[in-house]
Coordinates of all heavy atoms in Angstrom, one line a residue:
V1 N 0.8 -1.2 0.0 CA 0.0 0.0 0.0 C 0.9 1.3 0.0 O 0.7 2.2 -0.8 CB -1.0 0.0 1.2 CG1 -1.8 1.3 1.2 CG2 -1.8 -1.2 1.2
C2 N 1.8 1.3 0.9 CA 2.6 2.5 1.1 C 4.1 2.3 0.8 O 4.9 3.3 1.0 CB 2.4 3.1 2.5 SG 3.1 2.1 3.8
E3 N 4.5 1.1 0.4 CA 5.9 0.8 0.0 C 6.9 0.9 1.2 O 8.1 0.8 1.0 CB 6.4 1.8 -1.1 CG 5.6 1.7 -2.3 CD 5.8 0.4 -3.1 OE1 6.9 0.1 -3.4 OE2 4.8 -0.3 -3.2
K4 N 6.4 1.0 2.4 CA 7.3 1.0 3.6 C 7.9 -0.4 3.7 O 7.3 -1.4 3.5 CB 6.6 1.3 4.9 CG 7.5 1.6 6.0 CD 6.8 2.1 7.2 CE 7.7 2.4 8.4 NZ 7.0 3.0 9.6
C5 N 9.2 -0.5 4.1 CA 10.0 -1.8 4.1 C 10.3 -2.2 5.6 O 10.5 -1.4 6.5 CB 11.3 -1.7 3.3 SG 11.0 -1.4 1.6
F6 N 10.4 -3.6 5.8 CA 10.6 -4.1 7.1 C 11.6 -5.3 6.9 O 11.6 -6.0 5.9 CB 9.3 -4.6 7.7 CG 8.3 -3.5 7.9 CD1 7.4 -3.2 6.9 CD2 8.2 -2.8 9.1 CE1 6.5 -2.2 7.0 CE2 7.3 -1.8 9.2 CZ 6.4 -1.5 8.2
T7 N 12.3 -5.6 8.0 CA 13.3 -6.7 8.0 C 12.6 -8.0 8.3 O 13.1 -9.1 8.0 CB 14.5 -6.5 8.9 OG1 13.9 -6.2 10.2 CG2 15.3 -5.3 8.5
R8 N 11.5 -7.9 9.0 CA 10.8 -9.2 9.5 C 9.3 -9.1 9.1 O 8.7 -8.1 9.0 CB 10.9 -9.3 11.0 CG 12.3 -9.4 11.5 CD 12.4 -9.4 13.0 NE 11.7 -10.5 13.6 CZ 11.5 -10.7 14.9 NH1 11.8 -9.7 15.8 NH2 10.9 -11.7 15.3
G9 N 8.8 -10.3 8.8 CA 7.4 -10.4 8.3 C 6.4 -10.0 9.4 O 5.4 -9.4 9.1
N10 N 6.7 -10.3 10.6 CA 5.7 -10.0 11.7 C 5.6 -8.5 11.9 O 4.6 -7.9 12.3 CB 6.0 -10.7 13.0 CG 7.4 -10.3 13.6 OD1 8.3 -10.0 12.8 ND2 7.5 -10.4 14.9
N11 N 6.7 -7.8 11.6 CA 6.7 -6.3 11.7 C 5.8 -5.7 10.6 O 5.0 -4.7 10.8 CB 8.1 -5.7 11.6 CG 8.9 -6.0 12.8 OD1 8.4 -6.3 13.8 ND2 10.3 -6.0 12.6
L12 N 5.8 -6.3 9.4 CA 5.0 -5.9 8.3 C 3.5 -6.2 8.7 O 2.6 -5.4 8.4 CB 5.4 -6.5 7.0 CG 4.5 -6.2 5.8 CD1 4.2 -4.7 5.6 CD2 5.0 -6.9 4.5
T13 N 3.3 -7.4 9.3 CA 1.9 -7.7 9.7 C 1.3 -6.7 10.6 O 0.2 -6.3 10.5 CB 1.9 -9.1 10.4 OG1 2.4 -10.1 9.4 CG2 0.6 -9.5 10.9
V14 N 2.1 -6.3 11.7 CA 1.6 -5.3 12.6 C 1.3 -4.0 11.9 O 0.3 -3.3 12.1 CB 2.7 -5.1 13.7 CG1 2.3 -3.9 14.6 CG2 2.8 -6.3 14.6
H15 N 2.2 -3.6 10.9 CA 2.0 -2.4 10.1 C 0.7 -2.5 9.4 O -0.1 -1.5 9.4 CB 3.2 -2.2 9.2 CG 3.0 -1.1 8.2 ND1 3.1 0.2 8.4 CD2 2.6 -1.2 6.8 CE1 2.9 0.9 7.3 NE2 2.6 0.1 6.4
L16 N 0.4 -3.6 8.7 CA -0.8 -3.7 7.9 C -2.0 -3.7 8.7 O -3.0 -3.1 8.3 CB -0.7 -5.0 7.1 CG 0.3 -5.1 5.9 CD1 0.4 -6.5 5.4 CD2 -0.2 -4.2 4.8
R17 N -2.0 -4.3 9.9 CA -3.2 -4.3 10.7 C -3.4 -2.9 11.4 O -4.6 -2.5 11.4 CB -3.0 -5.3 11.9 CG -2.9 -6.8 11.4 CD -2.8 -7.7 12.5 NE -3.9 -7.7 13.4 CZ -3.9 -8.2 14.6 NH1 -2.9 -8.9 15.1 NH2 -5.0 -8.2 15.4
K18 N -2.4 -2.2 11.8 CA -2.6 -1.0 12.6 C -2.7 0.3 11.6 O -3.5 1.1 11.8 CB -1.5 -0.7 13.6 CG -1.5 -1.7 14.7 CD -0.5 -1.4 15.8 CE -0.6 -2.3 17.0 NZ 0.3 -2.0 18.1
K19 N -1.8 0.3 10.6 CA -1.8 1.5 9.7 C -2.9 1.4 8.6 O -3.5 2.4 8.3 CB -0.4 1.6 9.1 CG -0.2 2.8 8.3 CD -0.2 4.1 9.2 CE 0.1 5.3 8.4 NZ 0.0 6.5 9.2
H20 N -3.1 0.2 8.1 CA -4.0 0.1 7.0 C -5.2 -0.7 7.3 O -6.0 -1.0 6.4 CB -3.3 -0.5 5.8 CG -2.0 0.2 5.3 ND1 -2.1 1.5 4.9 CD2 -0.7 -0.1 5.3 CE1 -0.9 2.0 4.6 NE2 0.0 1.0 4.8
Q21 N -5.4 -1.1 8.5 CA -6.6 -1.8 9.0 C -6.9 -3.1 8.2 O -8.1 -3.4 7.9 CB -7.8 -0.9 8.9 CG -7.9 0.2 10.0 CD -6.9 1.3 9.7 OE1 -6.9 1.9 8.6 NE2 -6.1 1.6 10.7
F22 N -5.9 -3.8 7.8 CA -6.1 -5.1 7.2 C -6.4 -6.2 8.3 O -5.9 -6.1 9.4 CB -4.9 -5.6 6.4 CG -4.8 -5.1 5.0 CD1 -4.4 -3.8 4.7 CD2 -5.3 -5.8 4.0 CE1 -4.3 -3.3 3.4 CE2 -5.3 -5.3 2.7 CZ -4.8 -4.1 2.4
K23 N -7.2 -7.2 7.9 CA -7.4 -8.3 8.8 C -7.4 -9.6 8.1 O -7.6 -9.6 6.8 CB -8.8 -8.1 9.5 CG -10.0 -8.1 8.6 CD -11.3 -7.9 9.3 CE -12.5 -7.9 8.3 NZ -13.8 -7.8 9.0
W24 N -7.3 -10.7 8.7 CA -7.3 -12.0 8.1 C -8.6 -12.7 8.4 O -9.2 -12.4 9.4 CB -6.1 -12.8 8.4 CG -5.8 -13.0 9.9 CD1 -6.5 -13.8 10.7 CD2 -4.7 -12.4 10.6 NE1 -5.9 -13.7 12.0 CE2 -4.8 -12.9 11.9 CE3 -3.7 -11.6 10.2 CZ2 -3.9 -12.5 12.9 CZ3 -2.8 -11.2 11.2 CH2 -2.9 -11.7 12.5
P25 N -9.1 -13.6 7.6 CA -10.3 -14.3 7.8 C -10.3 -15.1 9.1 O -9.2 -15.5 9.6 CB -10.5 -15.3 6.6 CG -9.6 -14.7 5.6 CD -8.5 -14.0 6.3
S26 N -11.4 -15.3 9.7 CA -11.5 -16.1 11.0 C -10.8 -17.5 10.8 O -11.0 -18.2 9.8 CB -12.9 -16.3 11.4 OG -13.1 -17.3 12.3
G27 N -9.9 -17.8 11.7 CA -9.2 -19.1 11.7 C -7.9 -19.1 11.0 O -7.0 -19.9 11.4
H28 N -7.6 -18.2 10.1 CA -6.3 -18.1 9.5 C -5.4 -17.4 10.5 O -5.6 -16.2 10.8 CB -6.4 -17.3 8.2 CG -7.0 -18.2 7.1 ND1 -6.3 -18.8 6.2 CD2 -8.3 -18.4 6.8 CE1 -7.1 -19.5 5.3 NE2 -8.3 -19.3 5.7
P29 N -4.3 -18.0 10.9 CA -3.5 -17.5 12.0 C -2.6 -16.3 11.6 O -2.1 -15.6 12.4 CB -2.6 -18.7 12.4 CG -2.5 -19.5 11.1 CD -3.8 -19.3 10.4
R30 N -2.3 -16.2 10.3 CA -1.3 -15.2 9.9 C -1.4 -14.8 8.5 O -2.0 -15.5 7.7 CB 0.2 -15.7 10.2 CG 0.5 -16.9 9.4 CD 1.8 -17.5 9.8 NE 2.1 -18.7 9.1 CZ 2.7 -18.8 7.9 NH1 3.0 -17.7 7.2 NH2 3.0 -20.0 7.4
F31 N -0.8 -13.6 8.1 CA -0.7 -13.2 6.7 C 0.4 -14.1 6.1 O 1.4 -14.5 6.7 CB -0.3 -11.7 6.6 CG -1.4 -10.8 7.0 CD1 -1.1 -9.5 7.5 CD2 -2.7 -11.1 6.9 CE1 -2.1 -8.6 7.9 CE2 -3.7 -10.3 7.2 CZ -3.4 -9.0 7.7
R32 N 0.3 -14.2 4.8 CA 1.3 -14.9 4.0 C 1.9 -13.9 3.0 O 1.2 -13.1 2.4 CB 0.7 -16.1 3.3 CG 0.2 -17.2 4.2 CD -0.3 -18.4 3.5 NE -0.8 -19.4 4.4 CZ -0.1 -20.3 5.0 NH1 1.2 -20.4 4.8 NH2 -0.6 -21.2 5.9
Y33 N 3.2 -14.1 2.8 CA 3.9 -13.1 1.9 C 4.5 -13.8 0.7 O 5.0 -14.9 0.8 CB 4.9 -12.4 2.7 CG 4.3 -11.5 3.8 CD1 4.4 -12.0 5.1 CD2 3.7 -10.3 3.5 CE1 3.8 -11.2 6.1 CE2 3.1 -9.6 4.5 CZ 3.1 -10.1 5.8 OH 2.5 -9.3 6.8
K34 N 4.4 -13.1 -0.5 CA 4.8 -13.7 -1.7 C 6.0 -12.9 -2.3 O 6.0 -11.6 -2.3 CB 3.7 -13.7 -2.7 CG 4.1 -14.1 -4.1 CD 2.8 -14.0 -5.1 CE 3.2 -14.3 -6.5 NZ 2.1 -14.3 -7.4
E35 N 7.0 -13.6 -2.7 CA 8.2 -12.9 -3.3 C 7.9 -12.4 -4.7 O 7.5 -13.2 -5.5 CB 9.4 -13.8 -3.2 CG 10.7 -13.1 -3.7 CD 11.9 -14.0 -3.5 OE1 11.8 -15.1 -3.1 OE2 13.0 -13.5 -3.9
H36 N 8.2 -11.2 -5.0 CA 8.0 -10.6 -6.3 C 9.3 -10.6 -7.1 O 10.4 -10.8 -6.6 CB 7.4 -9.3 -6.2 CG 5.9 -9.3 -5.7 ND1 4.9 -9.0 -6.5 CD2 5.4 -9.7 -4.6 CE1 3.7 -9.1 -5.9 NE2 4.0 -9.6 -4.7
D37 N 9.2 -10.2 -8.4 CA 10.4 -10.1 -9.2 C 11.5 -9.2 -8.7 O 12.7 -9.4 -9.0 CB 10.0 -9.7 -10.7 CG 9.1 -10.7 -11.3 OD1 9.1 -11.9 -10.9 OD2 8.4 -10.4 -12.3
D38 N 11.1 -8.2 -7.9 CA 12.2 -7.3 -7.4 C 12.8 -7.8 -6.2 O 13.6 -7.1 -5.6 CB 11.6 -5.9 -7.2 CG 10.4 -5.9 -6.2 OD1 10.1 -7.0 -5.6 OD2 9.8 -4.8 -6.0
G39 N 12.4 -9.0 -5.7 CA 13.1 -9.5 -4.5 C 12.4 -9.2 -3.2 O 12.7 -9.8 -2.2
F40 N 11.4 -8.3 -3.3 CA 10.6 -8.0 -2.0 C 9.5 -9.0 -1.8 O 8.9 -9.5 -2.8 CB 10.1 -6.6 -2.1 CG 11.2 -5.5 -1.9 CD1 11.7 -4.9 -3.0 CD2 11.6 -5.2 -0.6 CE1 12.7 -3.9 -2.8 CE2 12.6 -4.3 -0.4 CZ 13.2 -3.6 -1.5
L41 N 9.2 -9.2 -0.6 CA 8.0 -10.0 -0.2 C 6.8 -9.1 0.2 O 7.0 -8.3 1.0 CB 8.4 -11.0 1.0 CG 9.4 -12.0 0.7 CD1 10.6 -11.8 1.6 CD2 8.8 -13.4 0.8
R42 N 5.7 -9.3 -0.5 CA 4.5 -8.5 -0.3 C 3.4 -9.5 0.1 O 3.4 -10.7 -0.1 CB 4.1 -7.7 -1.5 CG 5.2 -6.7 -1.9 CD 4.8 -5.9 -3.1 NE 5.7 -4.8 -3.4 CZ 6.8 -5.0 -4.2 NH1 7.1 -6.2 -4.6 NH2 7.6 -4.0 -4.4
L43 N 2.3 -8.9 0.6 CA 1.1 -9.7 1.1 C 0.5 -10.5 0.0 O 0.2 -10.0 -1.1 CB 0.1 -8.7 1.7 CG -1.2 -9.4 2.3 CD1 -0.8 -10.2 3.5 CD2 -2.2 -8.3 2.6

C-alpha cells in the first residue's frame, strides 16, 4: 500500500493491521507473503 519496508514479516503484519486496517479471515493465523520479481516479499 505505502511501500514501507521491514526486515521481518511480523513487523509488516503489525503495520498492515494498525496502519492500513487489514485483517485476516477467521481461523487463518497469519498473513502470507509472496516474493516478487524485485526480490521483495509482499502480502
Side-chain angles (χ1 to χ4, degrees):
V1 180
C2 66
E3 298 292 300
K4 189 172 182 179
C5 298
F6 302 86
T7 56
R8 300 175 62 188
N10 62 330
N11 292 339
L12 175 54
T13 296
V14 172
H15 169 80
L16 288 169
R17 293 181 64 191
K18 291 186 175 181
K19 186 66 177 177
H20 302 298
Q21 288 75 51
F22 274 84
K23 63 180 180 179
W24 52 73
S26 166
H28 285 263
R30 60 186 175 86
F31 289 153
R32 296 182 183 276
Y33 297 102
K34 174 181 177 180
E35 184 175 0
H36 289 247
D37 292 339
D38 59 4
F40 285 100
L41 292 120
R42 295 180 178 84
L43 182 64

